[in-house]
Amino acid sequence: MKIEKITNEGELELKLEGRLDTTTAPLLEAELKKSIDGVAVLIFDFSELAYLSSAGLRVLLTAQKVMNKQGSMCIKHVNDTIMEIFEVTGFADILTIE
């Protein structure tokens, strides 16, 4: 998985490319831990994300809990396959998806 990080005055956008699974979820988790302090708006761009596993969902849920305390989080450009995963797991009701 490739992570592209864009920061802009309290806003952090992470563009993910590839697969967010058991192997790559720790990479995203580490990136979030070092980058999320002081962030008011967290944006995930999933336009190039091909696959999402339960390990990836766990990282997103953890990020959402942090952002509930310090700002907002949204996920953009979700394809039909990943949207179906969000709907089946109930994450569509928890996350802000644009």
Side-chain angles (χ1 to χ4, degrees):
M1 179 181 68
K2 180 181 167 192
I3 303 172
E4 181 182 344
K5 183 169 81 169
I6 302 163
T7 56
N8 184 20
E9 297 181 22
E11 183 177 290
L12 172 63
E13 181 174 351
L14 297 174
K15 293 184 177 187
L16 306 184
E17 182 180 330
R19 297 170 57 90
L20 181 51
D21 56 21
T22 306
T23 306
T24 59
L27 302 172
L28 179 59
E29 193 169 34
E31 183 62 52
L32 284 167
K33 280 184 180 173
K34 73 179 185 182
S35 304
I36 204 167
D37 284 344
V39 171
V41 179
L42 176 61
I43 301 166
F44 288 98
D45 182 340
F46 278 12
S47 56
E48 300 294 323
L49 191 67
Y51 177 79
L52 177 65
S53 76
S54 59
L57 288 172
R58 181 184 54 78
V59 175
L60 293 175
L61 185 60
T62 302
Q64 182 66 67
K65 287 180 180 178
V66 170
M67 292 310 298
N68 283 344
K69 295 175 185 167
Q70 69 186 49
S72 64
M73 177 179 124
C74 74
I75 302 171
K76 296 182 177 183
H77 310 295
V78 176
N79 67 36
D80 291 342
T81 303
I82 292 176
M83 191 63 204
E84 187 175 344
I85 292 167
F86 285 149
E87 289 170 353
V88 168
T89 59
F91 274 63
D93 298 329
I94 299 168
L95 304 173
T96 302
I97 302 168
E98 297 178 358

